[in-house]
Amino acid sequence: MSELEHYTLTINGEDRHVSDAWIGESLLYVLRERLGLPGSKGACEQGECGSCTVYVDNAAVCSCLIMAATAVGTQIATVEGLNQDGSLTDVQQAFVSEGAVQCGFCTPGLVMAVHHLLDHNETPNEQEIKEALSGNICRCTGYGRIFAAVDSVISIRKSTAS
Amino acid sequence: MPVFIPSSLTDATRLLSNNPSAHLVTGGTDLMVEVNFNHRHPETVISLRKIPEFQHWNIDNKSGVVHIGSSVPYATMEHGELAQALPALAEAARTVGSPQIRAAGSLGGNLGTCSPAGDSLPVLSALNAIVHLHSETTSRSVPFAEFMVGPKRNSRLPNEIISGVTIPLTNGWQGYAKVGVRNAMVISVASVCLAIHDGNVRVALGSVGPTIIRGSESEAWINSVGLENVTPSVAQEFGERVRAESRPIDDHRSTAEYRRHAVGVLATRLLLRGVQR
Ligand SMILES: Cc1cc2nc3c(=O)[nH]c(=O)nc-3n(C[C@H](O)[C@H](O)[C@H](O)COP(=O)(O)OP(=O)(O)OC[C@H]3O[C@@H](n4cnc5c(N)ncnc54)[C@H](O)[C@@H]3O)c2cc1C
Ligand code: FES
Ligand code: FES
């Protein structure tokens, strides 16, 4: 066994200390198993399902593919940080209202991907939505309800903006 | 300390010579899959993501070249100025994995892994890219053709780090096409990059041999025919010739026979796209 690591990560704006960690641990593992942040889900641990999506320095990435100890000095945002007062964001609310959640395992990753898309593109077309969510796999819904949720956020944001 | 995050090339190469068994990591999209599945157990890691010159890219129209640092993510190549300068690289970048993979994955990692299925590699081959390598005491620049020497094998020495690539601009059409089992998140079964410069065609093939294959005989043939004489049947013959230059194998992703077929179809298609412009 190699030397154990001690380091500090900045997660949802807060400094979180990690001690006695093995350097090969993924950010996903550290979030869930060491820091009590189980919102990011792990299904494949090989970058294919997107259920572990977090933002690192504003880029949406798979936390299972980031070596946690190398993320020192970055700004990490997880699904827990979307709305720290515990209320639902408009995207989360739309997932509930549109029935886009069945088993819910893919939901945190999809919610992160949808927020990321809409933060960068207020009016994505169908193709852009599909591309933006192509890294998130859902085994239950068949995606129809998920796209309906995205469309509903877009139109609600549009109507409240005007 | 077993994890290093150097902020300059000098520090990084020094760290690597002092820790010869260290694993280099940029985006982690190849390395972490191996770590998660216990195929690798790194004890020392040098993360290259904080080195400013590795994150940098620029288009030098005067010298007719583009420099791309080894840590620049695919996402940066997909749109904007880089995509305009190097459309084939943008097309290849857009086919990599998913948005999450493209936000992290890099050319340094694609070159480091050097899989025959690496999507940037046929582009680097067809565009005659130069790979820059540095150790603590040396710097050298090697043409891509001399860099990749086998499946997952390259001529990087253990004490060297890839800082980036220099890609000459072309003055004609360029494009990339790939066949996989579905659209998103797919490793290629066969891929082709075709580029036209000074009226001459260059073609490089991915996933159909131990390295990226330059279709030199097909290039010589089509250039003797002349681009102005390309008809659908000429393009068809070009595809047949490309197919004959491929050396695919059967594996879990596809059969050699299908790969040979696919690479020919892609070459025909790209040539027609290239001349229709
Ligand atoms: C779900 C998924 C889908 C994928 N789809 C594709 C795809 O469609 N097409 C494709 O081509 N690839 C694909 N990949 C593979 C991978 O994303 C690419 O190869 C990517 O370019 C790797 O870049 P990275 O920075 O993440 O590499 P890392 O994992 O950081 O490094 C990869 C290797 O290169 C070495 N290395 C990294 N940087 C340097 C450097 N500067 N100098 C020397 N050595 C270095 C590392 O030591 C390591 O051995 C996929 C991966 C996943 C997980
Ligand atoms: S657990 Fe990270 S992508 Fe599947
Ligand atoms: S709701 Fe079950 S995987 Fe998406």
Side-chain angles (χ1 to χ4, degrees):
Chain A
M1 192 68 197
S2 43
E3 248 181 86
L4 295 177
E5 279 286 278
H6 308 277
Y7 52 89
T8 301
L9 297 177
T10 310
I11 299 166
N12 302 327
E14 245 180 80
D15 281 351
R16 300 293 304 268
H17 192 68
V18 179
S19 43
D20 299 330
W22 171 55
I23 62 165
E25 288 172 8
S26 69
L27 178 58
L28 174 66
Y29 179 89
V30 168
L31 289 172
R32 293 179 55 85
E33 307 299 332
R34 294 189 178 278
L35 298 175
L37 292 167
S40 311
K41 304 296 176 208
C44 70
E45 296 190 49
Q46 51 182 318
E48 306 227 346
C49 73
S51 61
C52 66
T53 302
V54 301
Y55 309 149
V56 174
D57 289 338
N58 295 319
V61 291
C62 299
S63 59
C64 68
L65 297 183
I66 291 176
M67 204 175 272
T70 69
V72 171
T74 62
Q75 294 293 330
I76 299 162
T78 70
V79 70
E80 286 91 346
L82 282 178
N83 235 1
Q84 297 202 348
D85 65 7
S87 63
L88 298 184
T89 66
D90 57 352
V91 172
Q92 289 168 324
Q93 184 56 55
F95 268 61
V96 175
S97 313
E98 297 296 328
V101 181
Q102 285 185 30
C103 80
F105 205 82
C106 66
T107 311
L110 271 160
V111 165
M112 293 297 276
V114 172
H115 270 292
H116 191 260
L117 165 68
L118 298 181
D119 285 350
H120 292 87
N121 183 352
E122 285 173 19
T123 51
N125 61 34
E126 191 188 335
Q127 187 67 33
E128 288 168 331
I129 295 169
K130 286 188 173 167
E131 271 200 51
L133 304 187
S134 63
N136 294 79
I137 291 175
C138 174
R139 301 182 310 170
C140 303
T141 64
Y143 302 99
R145 307 315 305 159
I146 292 168
F147 295 132
V150 178
D151 291 340
S152 123
V153 177
I154 295 169
S155 54
I156 292 174
R157 285 192 187 182
K158 225 186 264 166
S159 66
T160 48
S162 55
Chain B
M1 197 184 81
V3 175
F4 299 102
I5 313 179
S7 51
S8 73
L9 174 60
T10 321
D11 286 352
T13 52
R14 188 175 38 76
L15 283 164
L16 184 56
S17 21
N18 297 341
N19 301 276
S21 65
H23 273 81
L24 300 173
V25 60
T26 299
T29 61
D30 275 322
L31 183 68
M32 280 306 283
V33 174
E34 296 188 19
V35 174
N36 289 346
F37 287 84
N38 278 322
H39 298 145
R40 269 180 210 264
H41 200 87
E43 308 223 324
T44 310
V45 167
I46 302 174
S47 164
L48 302 171
R49 96 185 137 65
K50 269 231 171 124
I51 302 174
E53 60 258 54
F54 285 26
Q55 300 166 335
H56 200 80
W57 58 269
N58 80 288
I59 302 169
D60 182 346
N61 281 312
K62 227 161 95 205
S63 327
V65 296
V66 177
H67 295 281
I68 305 180
S70 57
S71 302
V72 173
Y74 292 113
T76 306
M77 304 165 208
E78 284 180 67
H79 310 284
E81 273 183 76
L82 261 184
Q84 268 174 8
L86 299 169
L89 185 65
E91 287 173 7
R94 279 191 70 186
T95 74
V96 173
S98 66
Q100 286 91 329
I101 301 298
R102 300 198 286 275
S106 66
L107 294 186
N110 219 219
L111 286 163
T113 298
C114 240
S115 156
D119 280 305
S120 74
L121 306 183
V123 180
L124 298 181
S125 171
L127 298 183
N128 295 336
I130 309 285
V131 181
H132 304 293
L133 296 152
H134 307 267
S135 74
E136 190 179 16
T137 51
T138 61
S139 287
R140 62 188 181 112
S141 298
V142 296
F144 175 77
E146 289 165 30
F147 179 78
M148 186 170 186
V149 295
K152 302 208 169 174
R153 288 198 300 125
N154 60 45
S155 57
R156 179 181 78 85
L157 300 173
N159 66 346
E160 286 180 321
I161 298 180
I162 304 161
S163 65
V165 297
T166 298
I167 308 177
L169 292 163
T170 56
N171 53 20
W173 186 88
Q174 53 174 253
Y176 179 78
K178 154 176 172 183
V179 170
V181 291
R182 61 204 271 276
N183 264 337
M185 194 77 83
V186 77
I187 303 289
S188 95
V189 153
S191 67
V192 176
C193 179
L194 186 141
I196 301 173
H197 184 62
D198 286 345
N200 284 318
V201 171
R202 300 188 211 139
V203 66
L205 324 177
S207 292
V208 290
T211 62
I212 303 304
I213 294 175
R214 261 302 270 272
S216 330
E217 287 165 27
S218 313
E219 290 177 8
W221 179 78
I222 191 67
N223 292 331
S224 71
V225 170
L227 275 182
E228 62 288 357
N229 300 318
V230 172
T231 58
S233 72
V234 167
Q236 193 69 35
E237 179 162 357
F238 177 70
E240 309 268 318
R241 285 172 182 264
V242 163
R243 178 191 161 106
E245 286 194 82
S246 69
R247 289 183 287 139
I249 54 165
D250 288 329
D251 70 6
H252 62 288
R253 257 180 239 127
S254 179
T255 61
E257 196 189 343
Y258 178 72
R259 288 193 154 105
R260 215 172 281 122
H261 168 74
V263 85
V265 170
L266 293 177
T268 298
R269 213 175 270 173
L270 287 176
L271 181 63
L272 286 173
R273 274 184 210 163
V275 297
Q276 274 159 10
R277 293 268 308 235

